[in-house]
Structures are given as C-alpha cells and as structure tokens.
Amino acid sequence: AMDAAPTPPSPAGLSAYVAVSQLLGLTLLATTGAWLGRYRGGVGWHSPLQFNAHPLCMVLAMVFLQGDALLVYRVLRHEAKRSTKALHALLHGLALLIALVGIIAVFESHRAKGIPDMYSLHSWCGMATFVLYLLQWFLGCGFFLFPGASFSLRALYKGQHIFFGITLFILSITSCLLGITEMLLFKISDSYSHFVPEGILANTLGVLLVAFGLVVAYVLTREEWKRPPLAEELALSMDFKTLTERESPGGGS
C-alpha cells in the first residue's frame, strides 16, 4: 500500500503569530487575575467579592476563548472540515457559558448592594455584544454544523458570518476596555491620575487586550494564511456546481 501523502507545512510565519497570540492571551488572563487578587480582594460567589467574577469571566470568555475559536480555521488546516467546525462551535459555546456566569455575577452583586443595572455605556455595549454573540452562535450552528441548510444558503451566509464574527470580537475587546476604565474610575478615582500601581496594572491589561486583538485580527486577515480546501471539499464543490449547471435553463443536458 502507498504511504499517505505528507501533511504540507504551515505557511511561513503563521505558527509564530499563533504562538504570540497564545502568549498574549495567557498573559492577559494572568494580569486580570493579578489585578483582582492583589487589589480587589480576589473572587468569591455570594459574597462581597462576587462582582470580581465578572471581569475574570468576560476576559476569559469573550476575548481569549472567542479569539481562539476564530483561530481554529487557521491552526487546524488539514483536519476534516466537520471536526474543525465542531471545535469552532464548541469553543464559542464554552465562551457563551462562561460569559453568562460573568453576567449573572454582576447582576447578583448589584442586587445585593442596591446598585442599579444597565445604565452605563459599558453595560449597554457589553449586553448588546453578548446577545449578538449568542445569535451569531445559533445561526452559525444552524447554517454550518447541523444538517438542514442547503449548500447555496451556506455560501450566501458565509460572508456575513465571517464579518460579524470579527466585528463581535472587536466589540468584545472594546466592552472590556470600557469596563476596565469604569471600574478604575469607581474604585480609585481620587488616585488614578497619580499613576498608582493598580491603575498602571489595569492599563497594562488594556494594552494586552488590544495587542491580543490585533494579533488575532492580523492572522485572520492574511489571505495566504486561510485554510486551504481539502480534496474532498473541492470534489463536493465541483459536484454542486455541476448539479446546478445541469438544472439551470442554460446548463448542459
């Protein structure tokens, strides 16, 4: 029997940028934990520290996991398309669950302390992003993962799905930046302008969020780094094209 063809190497530079993205992602998670642990007392549930679960969950879910879910199609270049789709949907689903925990934490914390909900720009942008992200996940599963949508409908929706995926990632990072600024102004408004250590650490977290977003966006927008179609995917596309041409009025017999 003939040996299987060797797996083509990843494009030059792709692995390095993906590695940098993961290093930045882990660093921003560690920085979030250090900020909350060193200056905000840590994280608890059904306690005065419950609110702190909110920033931790949102950074983990809506930035790090969402970013990794977007990178799946660049990293898994030669695996079966359906397996890649399943992992993509699974990471987004996990991000949604963790983000939901973060949203519950902030609402319960506000209720316990008598703080009003949904009045700030951060809360408006954050909730809108979460709701649209949930809708994007349901539509993505319906069109691409579960059977039912036709090939033509998938092709029609694919461009919108990609655009809104990147847009929601940007909105998620923007909402986190707004949240960091809001939290600093609430907690250390009197000393923030004096370059206190907590303010510097939180600002560093903001810079890391932007850096992570830029690296992920760069990987996603490099045309030569897109996932190449496998042989069976090309065969399916050709079969569909042949079928539609035969069924069209100007097609063959």
Side-chain angles (χ1 to χ4, degrees):
M2 296 180 60
D3 293 333
T7 301
S10 296
L14 173 59
S15 297
Y17 273 92
V18 170
V20 169
S21 74
Q22 298 310 289
L23 179 61
L24 285 170
L26 293 174
T27 303
L28 70 87
L29 289 176
T31 304
T32 304
W35 176 28
L36 297 174
R38 175 68 177 83
Y39 297 103
R40 296 292 110 212
V43 177
W45 199 262
H46 296 310
S47 76
L49 301 176
Q50 184 171 3
F51 176 86
N52 292 344
H54 176 70
L56 182 62
C57 287
M58 303 321 271
V59 169
L60 171 59
M62 300 299 288
V63 179
F64 183 64
L65 287 178
Q66 184 179 179
D68 276 5
L70 295 176
L71 290 175
V72 160
Y73 285 103
R74 300 297 181 268
V75 176
L76 304 180
R77 305 177 59 79
H78 308 292
E79 285 72 18
K81 187 71 173 287
R82 186 162 185 82
S83 299
T84 308
K85 287 181 184 180
L87 179 60
H88 178 74
L90 180 63
L91 286 174
H92 280 309
L94 180 60
L96 280 166
L97 288 175
I98 295 174
L100 181 59
V101 172
I103 291 173
I104 292 171
V106 73
F107 276 103
E108 288 194 353
S109 174
H110 281 180
R111 184 168 61 249
K113 297 176 181 178
I115 300 174
D117 296 314
M118 299 301 300
Y119 66 90
S120 68
L121 178 61
H122 164 65
S123 62
W124 286 19
C125 291
M127 186 58 72
T129 301
F130 177 78
V131 172
L132 291 173
Y133 188 40
L134 180 63
L135 179 61
Q136 167 90 340
W137 185 74
F138 276 120
L139 288 174
C141 289
F143 273 93
F144 302 115
L145 190 60
F146 301 122
S150 67
F151 192 95
S152 57
L153 281 177
R154 292 181 184 183
L156 184 65
Y157 177 65
K158 183 178 179 181
Q160 284 72 29
H161 184 74
I162 294 172
F163 169 77
F164 282 109
I166 297 176
T167 300
L168 287 169
F169 181 59
I170 295 171
L171 287 174
S172 298
I173 292 175
T174 302
S175 296
C176 286
L177 294 175
L178 289 171
I180 291 170
T181 302
E182 182 179 294
M183 190 168 175
L184 289 174
L185 292 177
F186 281 157
K187 301 296 184 181
I188 59 169
S189 58
D190 294 337
S191 58
Y192 187 24
S193 61
H194 299 296
F195 295 94
V196 293
E198 180 178 0
I200 293 173
L201 182 62
N203 286 350
T204 300
L205 173 59
V207 172
L208 288 169
L209 286 165
V210 172
F212 178 74
L214 289 174
V215 173
V216 171
Y218 182 74
V219 173
L220 294 175
T221 54
R222 283 288 295 268
E223 189 71 23
E224 64 271 29
W225 289 353
K226 287 187 176 181
R227 182 182 187 274
L230 302 180
E232 58 268 26
E233 296 168 25
L234 288 173
L236 285 172
S237 297
M238 290 302 298
D239 289 344
F240 174 77
K241 181 180 178 182
T242 302
L243 178 62
T244 53
E245 286 179 348
R246 285 179 177 176
E247 291 178 349
S248 63
S253 58

